[in-house]
Amino acid sequence: MAVKGKTAKKTTKSAVKKKKVTKKKTSSKSSVSSKLKKSKKASTLKVKSSASSELAASVDPYALVRLSTKRQVNSVEEKKAKLRARRIHWNKEKEKIAIDMLERYTGHDLKDFQQQIILTNFHYYIERFNVLLDDAKYTKGSAFKASSSKKAQVTIIEFGVGSAMAALIGELVSVVNPKAVLFLGLAGSVHPSLKVGDFVLPIASVRAEGVSDHFLPPQVPALPTFKVQKFVSQILVEHGHDYRTGTIHSTDFRFWEFDDRFKQNLIEERVLAVEMETAALFTACFVSKVNIGALLLISDCPMKKGGIKTKSSAKEVFKKYTDIHIELGIEAMADIAERGEKVRHYNW
C-alpha cells in the first residue's frame, strides 16, 4: 500500500506539472492570438486611413497639389532667407563691419558721405573735384581716397582698378543709402566708329570678370539703373556732347590686347567697348539696393593698329578729356540732388 501511495503522489505531481505546462501553452497561444488581433486592428486602421485619404483626395482633388505647393513655398522662403543673410541691408552684423571698413578704407566718417556718390579709378579725378569745389573735404584712407562737398551734395571715391575692388565698393557704399551712384571710368573701344574722347553710356555689361558670379547666377544680365543713366544723358545733350549707348564687355584679363581669340570674341559679341569694372559694379549695386549708373570715356582704341594705350597717350587723354568727364559727372549728380526726383519708382 505504501508503494501505491508513493506512486499516486508521483502521478498527482506529474498531473500538476502537465496542467502548468498546458496553462503556459494556452497563455502563450492567447498572447499570440491577442497580438494577431492587434495587428489585424492596426492594419484595418491603416486600410481605413488610406481609404479615407483616397476618399479625401477624390472629394478634393487639389488637396495634394496644395500640400505640394505649401512645401515649395516653404522651400522658397528658406532660400530667400539665406540670400538675405548674405546682403548688407538684411544682415546687421555685416552692415556694422561694412561701415567700419568704408570709414577705414576712405578716411571719411559715415556722416561725411553725401547722398550722391561718384566712383573713379584715377586720382586726377579727385584732384580736379577738389579744385572745382572749394568746400571739398579730402581724406586718404588705408585703401581708398575720398572727397566730399556739402554745397554740391556730392562725394567722390577713388577705389582702385579692377572688378574685385569695384564689387567691394559697390557693397560698401550701400551703408550710406545713397540716392545715386555714378561710375566715371575709362574704356578701350571695340566698335570701329568710336575714337578717343568719345562718351559711352552703357545700357548693359557682359559679365566676364568673374566676381559678379558671387552675387547673381551667370544668366542674370548686369544692368545700370535707368533713371541715373537718363539724368546723365540729359546733361550730355544739354552740353552738346554726342554719346553712344550699347553693351560693354567687362573682363579681368588685363592684357587682352595681345590675345587674338579674345578680340575675335569681342567682335562676335557686338560690344562697343571693353573695360574692367562696370559688370561688377552693376551687379553688386543691384543686390545691395544701390542706384548705379556709368559714363565711360574712350581712352584708347586697342583693336586698331597702334591704338593700345601708352604712358604718353594716357597723358594726352587726361589733358584733353578728363576735365570734361569729371565736370559732367559732378553736374549730373548735383542735378539729381537739386531736383529731388525719385531715382527708383518702387520700394524694395
Side-chain angles (χ1 to χ4, degrees), residues 54-87:
E54 288 175 7
L55 181 63
S58 63
V59 173
D60 185 1
Y62 300 105
L64 295 176
V65 175
R66 282 199 298 272
L67 181 61
S68 177
T69 304
K70 187 177 180 181
R71 286 173 181 169
Q72 288 175 5
V73 169
N74 290 338
S75 177
V76 169
E77 290 303 320
E78 286 176 7
K79 288 178 181 178
K80 283 183 179 178
K82 287 179 181 178
L83 283 173
R84 287 168 180 168
R86 291 165 53 191
R87 308 306 181 209

Side-chain angles (χ1 to χ4, degrees), residues 37 42 137 176 244 269 288 302:
K37 285 177 182 177
K137 179 184 177 181
V176 180
R244 296 284 299 276
E269 288 178 345
S288 302

Side-chain angles (χ1 to χ4, degrees), residues 213-228:
D213 289 348
H214 293 290
F215 296 88
L216 288 173
Q219 69 270 21
V220 181
L223 306 174
T225 305
F226 170 76
K227 195 67 176 288
V228 177

Side-chain angles (χ1 to χ4, degrees), residues 80-347:
K80 283 183 179 178
K82 287 179 181 178
L83 283 173
R84 287 168 180 168
R86 291 165 53 191
R87 308 306 181 209
I88 286 177
H89 48 274
W90 284 98
N91 190 324
K92 291 298 179 184
E93 186 178 352
K94 186 175 181 180
E95 182 183 30
K96 183 180 177 182
I97 295 298
I99 292 171
D100 181 85
M101 190 180 293
L102 181 65
E103 291 182 333
R104 179 162 41 95
Y105 278 13
T106 62
H108 260 41
D109 292 330
L110 188 65
K111 61 181 175 58
D112 295 328
F113 288 93
Q114 302 300 302
Q115 290 296 292
Q116 290 66 228
I117 297 176
I118 294 173
L119 301 177
T120 182
N121 307 120
F122 304 101
H123 186 62
Y124 178 77
Y125 282 71
I126 286 192
E127 290 179 343
R128 188 61 184 162
F129 183 94
N130 293 339
V131 170
L132 293 170
L133 302 168
D134 57 6
D135 69 324
K137 179 184 177 181
Y138 171 70
T139 59
K140 183 179 179 181
S142 60
F144 307 146
K145 301 174 185 70
S147 191
S148 292
S149 167
K150 289 185 178 179
K151 288 181 182 178
Q153 300 180 62
V154 179
T155 292
I156 185 170
I157 302 172
E158 177 196 341
F159 66 89
V161 176
S163 57
M165 300 307 281
L168 175 60
I169 196 64
E171 282 199 284
L172 293 182
V173 295
S174 68
V175 301
V176 180
N177 193 25
K179 186 176 182 181
V181 174
L182 179 66
F183 172 52
L184 300 178
L186 303 184
S189 70
V190 174
H191 199 281
S193 65
L194 288 170
K195 61 185 184 299
V196 173
D198 285 347
F199 289 113
V200 174
L201 203 60
I203 59 172
S205 186
V206 175
R207 293 170 52 196
E209 43 28 88
V211 177
S212 61
D213 289 348
H214 293 290
F215 296 88
L216 288 173
Q219 69 270 21
V220 181
L223 306 174
T225 305
F226 170 76
K227 195 67 176 288
V228 177
Q229 298 300 73
K230 182 177 178 290
F231 270 105
V232 178
S233 170
Q234 189 170 338
I235 295 298
L236 287 165
V237 171
E238 287 174 1
H239 286 275
H241 294 293
D242 291 330
Y243 66 94
R244 296 284 299 276
T245 60
T247 305
I248 304 301
H249 182 104
S250 291
T251 182
D252 54 3
F253 183 23
R254 183 57 192 87
F255 280 102
W256 61 266
E257 299 95 333
F258 299 94
D259 191 317
D260 291 336
R261 184 174 59 181
F262 186 92
K263 290 191 286 186
Q264 182 61 39
N265 183 57
L266 292 176
I267 294 170
E268 291 174 0
E269 288 178 345
R270 301 293 194 272
V271 294
L272 290 177
V274 59
E275 51 75 72
M276 302 181 73
E277 292 86 19
T278 58
L281 275 171
F282 291 170
T283 307
C285 284
F286 172 73
V287 300
S288 302
K289 299 185 180 181
V290 173
N291 300 313
I292 178 77
L295 176 62
L296 304 179
L297 174 67
I298 297 299
S299 60
D300 58 332
C301 303
M303 303 292 280
K304 297 176 183 178
K305 188 176 180 180
I308 298 175
K309 191 190 301 181
T310 62
K311 187 177 180 180
S312 59
S313 68
K315 282 184 178 179
E316 192 70 16
V317 169
F318 274 88
K319 183 179 178 181
K320 284 186 177 181
Y321 306 110
T322 50
D323 283 2
I324 301 170
H325 198 197
I326 180 63
E327 286 167 18
L328 288 169
I330 293 171
E331 187 171 343
M333 290 292 97
D335 195 34
I336 289 176
E338 286 177 10
R339 292 190 185 187
E341 294 181 29
K342 285 187 177 181
V343 175
R344 188 186 290 120
H345 298 283
Y346 57 91
N347 293 321

